[in-house]
Amino acid sequence: RSTKRRRVGPQGCNVFVLHLPREWGDKALAEAFRPFGPLHSATVYKDRATGLSRCFGFVSYMDATAAALAVANLDGMQIGPRRLKVSLKEKRGQS
């Protein structure tokens, strides 16, 4: 878990991002996702003990259209040896 509290956008505006490059922080994540609409927040989760990226994060947009556009454009994008896995965040308990 991150040591800081993640700011969450409205329902349908929150995007889960997996397979982030280890060197990415919050700023790099925000820069990659900002072209699709105004951001509420962008957070890369880090290991508490080491401070290293856990290679996943969340991006929250101000509106659902921007979130859907980001998912459509960035899911599967190749960055280095990995492909991003980008999806709308599901409510806890959903699968």
Side-chain angles (χ1 to χ4, degrees), residues 10-81:
Q11 179 76 24
C13 298
N14 302 297
V15 177
F16 175 66
V17 188
L18 189 59
H19 305 305
L20 290 171
R22 188 163 301 279
E23 63 274 7
W24 278 25
D26 295 352
K27 185 176 179 182
L29 182 61
E31 288 172 2
F33 281 77
R34 188 171 286 120
F36 303 100
L39 299 180
H40 190 274
S41 66
T43 305
V44 174
Y45 278 68
K46 297 183 178 180
D47 183 278
R48 285 185 185 180
T50 66
L52 296 175
S53 171
R54 293 178 61 198
C55 299
F56 76 91
F58 289 93
V59 176
S60 295
Y61 284 94
M62 300 302 279
D63 67 77
T65 302
L69 193 58
V71 170
N73 282 277
L74 295 177
D75 186 40
M77 180 178 166
Q78 183 89 31
I79 299 182

Side-chain angles (χ1 to χ4, degrees), residues 64-93:
T65 302
L69 193 58
V71 170
N73 282 277
L74 295 177
D75 186 40
M77 180 178 166
Q78 183 89 31
I79 299 182
R82 305 174 102 181
R83 289 190 181 274
L84 293 182
K85 170 79 173 119
V86 183
S87 61
L88 288 176
K89 179 185 174 289
E90 296 178 358
K91 285 179 161 181
R92 286 190 184 260

